[in-house]
Amino acid sequence: MTDKTMASQSEANDAAFIKIEGDVSSGLLIVCDHARNHMPQDYGNLGLPSSAFERHIAYDIGVEAVVRRMCKALNCPAVLSNFSRLLIDPNRGADDPTLIMRLSDGQIVPGNHPITPAEKRSRIERFHAPYHDAIAKQIEAFETAGITPALFSVHSFTPVWKGAHRPWQVAMLRDVDTGFHSHMVAALRKNADLTVGDNEPYDGALAGDCMHTHGLRRGLQHALVELRQDLIADEAGQSHWAQMLAKPVRDFTVKPENRTKQFVASRTGPYMRIES
């Protein structure tokens, strides 16, 4: 089954995730929490105009194509969300107050307010939990094969926030750096033309988020990249950044000694709102 076929079936069935097949010997699993702006038919548009789903509030613009190109270059598997973050945000813990947004970057989301406890549970069970289960099962597939994987999470951010232009083309976020993060920062900063954010414009410490759940708690090497959306808005930019990231990711993950489990304390601090 091709990736394109899998994607079309996922859309038809309103599946919570898309899985891209790859070789576990790559030692790498890519995850993409905000890959799509897709809404299940029974939810309509949550009372929003269709234009809202072209904005960053609905998904991370450009990232799905980058992930697909990286998977092809690295022959690694990936798990991508197949629903809009406006429905429920898979990069939040199930008890995070920003799990289901009522207001996002000035946009009121009518379909999310008011929301009953039963409806919240339904969205968790139908979308949030299956996405995370898919990631967990893929990690288990690596471990069954005797391979400790590294995780690489791909996101994107807006070029302008609250009227201020952001100078970074790319950023790496972290909570605890177990090696993968600093490797990526150093590799990207070798390019003198890049302004690389190190835990900016956001702080990567977010209790209950995807990397906290599947990386930090499991002791796995993990790194999270943020790409500026105007740079990956077309095929040329998506191809360029997939290539830019693939080499340093491969350089790190190809060495089994770099993927040894790091048993670090799990953070249980307060939730932090990450803007887009």
Side-chain angles (χ1 to χ4, degrees):
M1 185 181 295
T2 66
D3 294 341
K4 188 174 292 186
T5 301
M6 291 179 69
S8 63
Q9 287 186 351
S10 293
E11 289 171 341
N13 298 329
D14 287 335
F17 62 90
I18 301 161
K19 182 181 175 184
I20 299 176
E21 300 294 340
D23 193 338
V24 294
S25 68
S26 65
L28 174 69
L29 173 62
I30 298 179
V31 298
C32 193
D33 302 321
H34 303 141
R36 292 192 163 188
N37 58 2
H38 177 60
M39 284 293 296
Q41 188 173 6
D42 53 320
Y43 279 94
N45 280 355
L46 295 174
L48 294 167
S50 58
S51 58
F53 290 86
E54 301 306 314
R55 297 180 57 202
H56 70 93
I57 62 173
Y59 73 124
D60 279 356
I61 296 166
V63 292
E64 179 181 356
V66 173
V67 168
R68 289 187 176 276
R69 285 169 168 80
M70 288 187 69
C71 287
K72 186 174 182 179
L74 298 170
N75 193 24
C76 68
V79 177
L80 303 85
S81 68
N82 191 38
F83 53 91
S84 173
R85 66 195 297 181
L86 287 171
L87 185 67
I88 189 168
D89 193 333
N91 195 35
R92 298 291 187 272
D95 56 349
D96 190 310
T98 65
L99 179 69
I100 298 174
M101 296 293 290
R102 300 175 181 180
L103 177 69
S104 184
D105 192 16
Q107 176 69 67
I108 295 171
V109 187
N112 290 348
H113 180 69
I115 186 167
T116 66
E119 173 59 24
K120 180 180 177 180
R121 286 194 302 273
S122 176
R123 294 191 198 182
I124 290 172
E125 292 170 1
R126 183 175 167 187
F127 303 103
H128 189 278
Y131 172 72
H132 285 281
D133 287 346
I135 295 172
K137 287 176 181 177
Q138 185 59 66
I139 292 171
E140 289 164 7
F142 278 96
E143 294 177 338
T144 297
I147 296 169
T148 300
L151 308 182
F152 192 69
S153 180
V154 182
H155 291 254
S156 67
F157 65 98
T158 58
V160 178
W161 182 251
K162 297 188 183 300
H165 289 267
R166 289 165 155 174
W168 312 277
Q169 293 92 356
V170 58
M172 299 300 305
L173 307 188
R174 60 172 170 77
D175 183 343
V176 175
D177 176 20
T178 55
F180 196 5
H181 169 90
S182 52
H183 165 83
M184 291 300 299
V185 171
L188 291 167
R189 283 182 172 172
K190 288 179 181 178
N191 187 329
D193 294 329
L194 293 181
T195 301
V196 181
D198 183 353
N199 235 25
E200 58 182 350
Y202 317 127
D203 186 327
L206 181 65
D209 74 356
C210 191
M211 289 297 95
H212 178 266
T213 298
H214 300 288
L216 191 61
R217 286 180 176 171
R218 288 177 178 266
L220 297 177
Q221 287 282 359
H222 57 282
L224 187 156
V225 69
E226 290 269 4
L227 299 168
R228 208 173 70 200
Q229 289 169 358
D230 58 316
L231 302 178
I232 55 170
D234 57 23
E235 289 188 7
Q238 292 154 2
S239 178
H240 170 75
W241 278 99
Q243 293 175 37
M244 285 278 290
L245 294 172
K247 184 182 185 305
V249 167
R250 180 191 288 113
D251 289 345
F252 185 85
T253 58
V254 73
K255 301 175 182 178
E257 63 269 25
N258 284 345
R259 294 184 273 107
T260 302
K261 281 196 174 186
Q262 307 286 322
F263 292 97
V264 294
S266 177
R267 297 297 177 89
T268 56
Y271 291 108
M272 301 176 65
R273 172 70 189 281
I274 296 182
E275 303 294 354
S276 298

